[in-house]
Amino acid sequence: MPGRLAGRVVDLGGQWVAPDHTRLISLAREFGVEAYPQYVDGNNIYDLGGQRGTYKLNDTDLPATSLKAVQETVNKLTALATSAFTVTGDLGRHAAGLDGGTLESWLLANVFDRVAYSYFRLMVRATHSAETYETSLLAFVSLFAGENHFEHMTSVRGGAQDSVFDGGVWQLADRMAKELGTAVILGSPVRHILQDDQGVTVRSDQGDWRGRYVVVTAPPTMANRIQVTPPLSSQRDACAQRSPLGNVIKVHLAYSRPFWRDQGLSGQVLSDQTDFGPWFDHSPRKGGSGALVGFYNGATAHKWADRDPIERRMQCLQDVAKYFGTAALSPTDYIEEVWGRSAFHRGGYGTVSGPGVITTFHDALREPVGRIHWAGTETDADYSGYIEGAIRSGENAAAALRKLV
Ligand SMILES: Cc1cc2nc3c(=O)[nH]c(=O)nc-3n(C[C@H](O)[C@H](O)[C@H](O)COP(=O)(O)OP(=O)(O)OC[C@H]3O[C@@H](n4cnc5c(N)ncnc54)[C@H](O)[C@@H]3O)c2cc1C
C-alpha cells in the first residue's frame, strides 16, 4: 500500500526483498521495477540490556561475553531444531514437547546474559512484530532447522532487508491489477461464502459471485471473520482462532538531508530503550534529502495504536533524537500506517503461532475445506510472512485448482 512522503511515494507495508525472493524479483523484472541495495554505510547503533555501542553491517558487535552467549543460544536452538524436525522438515519426535512452551519461558531458563536475552527479545519483536511470550518455542526453533532462517531474517546484506524497490513494491500489485482490468474488484469486502455440491457463492458488498471453487487469501484470523455456510471444519476454525496477527505501526520520516550520515551513522538503530524502532535509512536515491523508516512493533504497537497521533509522532521523534540528536525533531514530513486499526488487516506483519498450534493444527492452515482453498503468505512453507510467500502461495493454489478443473 502506497503513501506520500515529501512528494515521494513510499511503501506503508512491505518494502524489502532478499536475494532468494526469486518470484518477487522476477515479477519486478517483468514490470520493470528496479531493486537497489538498502543503504548500509557507517555504524549501526545498538542499545540493549543496558549496553550501548555501534557495529557495522551484519556483524553483531556486542560485548564479547554477550556475543558468546548469543552464539551459544543459537547453537542450543539449532540442536533443538535437529530434534524437533526431520531432515525433510517434517515434525520430529520432540516437536510436541517444544510446542508446549513459549520462547520467552525458554529464554528465561536458558539465557543468563542480559544483553543476549534482550537481543533475542528485540529481534523477535522486529522480525515478527510480536513478543517472545506470544510465539511457541517450536515456531521459533523452526527458524534454525536446515538453513539458518533466523540469520536471514535479521540480516541486511544477503538477508531479508537486502534491497528495496525504486518507487516501492506496491507498484507490482498496482500493475498486475491494471493488467487484469475489470476482473479485479476493490472495495467490496466478502461477507459470506456458501458452498454446495456444484460450487460456491461468494457474497460481497457489491454483489454475489458464483464459481466452482474459491481461494481465500486473507490471513486466517481475517478469513475467519467471513461467515461460511455450511460451517467450516472444527480443525480449520480452531486453527484460525489460534492464529493471531502481530501488530505494527510503520512510520516514514523525511528530512532535508540525511544528517546522521555526517556522524558516521548508517541510520540503523536497534534499541530496547525506546518504544519506536528499529529504524533504517530510507533516503531517496537522488536529490540529497534524507528519510528514515521504522516501526512500533508487537507490544509497543498495541500500546500506541489507539493513542493520539500527535503523541505517537512526538514519541517517535524523541526516540530518534535520543540517538541522532535534536535535528531529528524537525522532519520535513511524517507519515504512518497503524495496521492494527486497518479494518481488513487488523495487524501485521503476519500470523504468529502460539503454543500447541503447529503440532495440533498445522495441516488445517492449508487443507481445503470442500471447495474453499486457502492461499496467502501463511500457507507457504518456506517464505511465510513475506511477500515472496504470498506470491508462491498464489501459484500453489492455482496449480492445485488446475488439477481439479
Ligand atoms: C508494516 C509491514 C511491513 C512489512 N515489511 C515486509 C517487507 O519488508 N518484506 C516482505 O516481504 N514482507 C513484509 N511484510 C509482510 C508482507 O506485507 C505480507 O507477508 C504480505 O503482504 C502477505 O500477503 P497476503 O496476500 O498473504 O496477505 P495480505 O497482504 O494481508 O492481503 C490480504 C488481503 O485480504 C483482504 N481482505 C481481508 N478480509 C477481506 C474480506 N472479508 N473480503 C475481501 N478482502 C479481504 C485485505 O484487505 C488484504 O488486502 C510487511 C508487512 C507489514 C504490515
Side-chain angles (χ1 to χ4, degrees):
M1 192 161 78
R4 274 206 167 266
L5 180 83
R8 162 193 182 208
V9 183
V10 291
D11 288 308
L12 296 177
Q15 68 176 60
W16 282 287
V17 56
D20 62 335
H21 290 180
T22 53
R23 297 300 302 121
L24 176 54
I25 290 169
S26 81
L27 255 189
R29 282 209 190 102
E30 193 182 322
F31 288 105
V33 177
E34 196 192 340
Y36 65 96
Q38 166 64 40
Y39 182 85
V40 288
D41 295 351
N43 287 317
N44 302 340
I45 293 175
Y46 72 84
D47 192 359
L48 293 173
Q51 295 276 345
R52 183 163 163 171
T54 58
Y55 64 102
K56 280 192 192 296
L57 202 52
N58 291 344
D59 302 334
T60 319
D61 196 9
L62 303 175
T65 48
S66 303
L67 204 53
K68 190 161 168 266
V70 167
Q71 192 50 54
E72 281 167 4
T73 308
V74 167
N75 294 345
K76 283 186 196 173
L77 290 161
T78 308
L80 288 178
T82 316
S83 73
F85 295 93
T86 66
V87 280
T88 52
D90 293 327
L91 295 178
R93 259 183 330 128
H94 294 119
L98 299 189
D99 208 21
T102 65
L103 172 60
E104 177 65 16
S105 312
W106 186 86
L107 290 176
L108 284 171
N110 287 277
V111 183
F112 303 109
D113 180 274
R114 180 129 190 262
V115 176
Y117 168 73
S118 301
Y119 170 79
F120 281 100
R121 295 194 82 200
L122 201 62
M123 282 301 187
V124 168
R125 184 180 274 187
T127 56
H128 292 61
S129 275
E131 303 297 323
T132 46
Y133 50 77
E134 294 178 90
T135 177
S136 92
L137 177 56
L138 182 68
F140 190 65
V141 157
S142 70
L143 301 176
F144 297 84
E147 290 163 42
N148 188 338
H149 293 292
F150 182 65
E151 189 180 348
H152 183 271
M153 281 176 113
T154 55
S155 296
V156 176
R157 269 304 157 269
Q161 285 68 235
D162 186 87
S163 298
V164 288
F165 291 101
D166 205 2
V169 72
W170 67 273
Q171 298 172 97
L172 305 183
D174 190 57
R175 291 189 196 173
M176 272 188 280
K178 283 193 178 116
E179 269 190 7
L180 290 166
T182 52
V184 178
I185 294 151
L186 297 173
S188 181
V190 173
R191 306 292 181 182
H192 196 168
I193 297 173
L194 304 98
Q195 58 173 327
D196 53 53
D197 292 344
Q198 276 76 49
V200 289
T201 302
V202 172
R203 189 150 288 164
S204 82
D205 285 5
Q206 286 189 35
D208 289 1
W209 275 268
R210 182 82 185 153
R212 287 167 69 185
Y213 297 92
V214 61
V215 181
V216 179
T217 69
T221 185
M222 297 308 296
N224 238 26
R225 297 180 186 206
I226 300 171
Q227 189 186 348
V228 179
T229 304
L232 293 171
S233 62
S234 167
Q235 273 275 320
R236 169 67 205 191
D237 189 77
C239 170
Q241 283 189 48
R242 289 162 180 78
S243 300
L245 289 160
N247 202 359
V248 57
I249 302 167
K250 183 169 179 179
V251 179
H252 288 271
L253 298 145
Y255 292 96
S256 52
R257 30 193 309 281
F259 58 89
W260 50 91
R261 295 183 185 175
D262 304 340
Q263 304 163 36
L265 298 173
S266 67
Q268 191 178 324
V269 174
L270 192 63
S271 167
D272 64 2
Q273 303 299 306
T274 56
D275 278 0
F276 180 67
W279 63 86
F280 299 80
D281 189 314
H282 193 38
S283 303
R285 288 173 93 181
K286 295 181 192 134
S289 62
L292 296 171
V293 62
F295 309 88
Y296 289 94
N297 281 320
T300 62
H302 291 304
K303 174 177 162 186
W304 283 98
D306 292 324
R307 293 205 185 171
D308 176 5
I310 305 291
E311 258 186 69
R312 196 162 54 227
R313 175 181 161 139
M314 286 314 298
Q315 180 67 43
C316 166
L317 297 181
Q318 278 162 19
D319 285 348
V320 176
K322 185 175 161 84
Y323 300 100
F324 292 174
T326 50
L329 297 172
S330 309
T332 54
D333 202 0
Y334 173 103
I335 184 171
E336 62 175 19
E337 180 65 22
V338 184
W339 286 90
R341 290 178 68 89
S342 167
F344 291 97
H345 292 94
R346 309 256 61 161
Y349 317 125
T351 292
V352 183
S353 294
V357 175
I358 294 180
T359 46
T360 318
F361 302 109
H362 191 249
D363 294 343
L365 203 57
R366 301 181 185 92
E367 198 67 35
V369 179
R371 294 174 175 275
I372 306 176
H373 288 238
W374 314 103
T377 191
E378 284 80 6
T379 64
D380 185 67
D382 298 317
Y383 293 94
S384 173
Y386 292 102
I387 299 167
E388 177 73 10
I391 298 168
R392 287 178 185 235
S393 78
E395 291 173 344
N396 294 340
L401 285 179
R402 222 174 279 129
K403 286 186 195 149
L404 295 174
V405 294

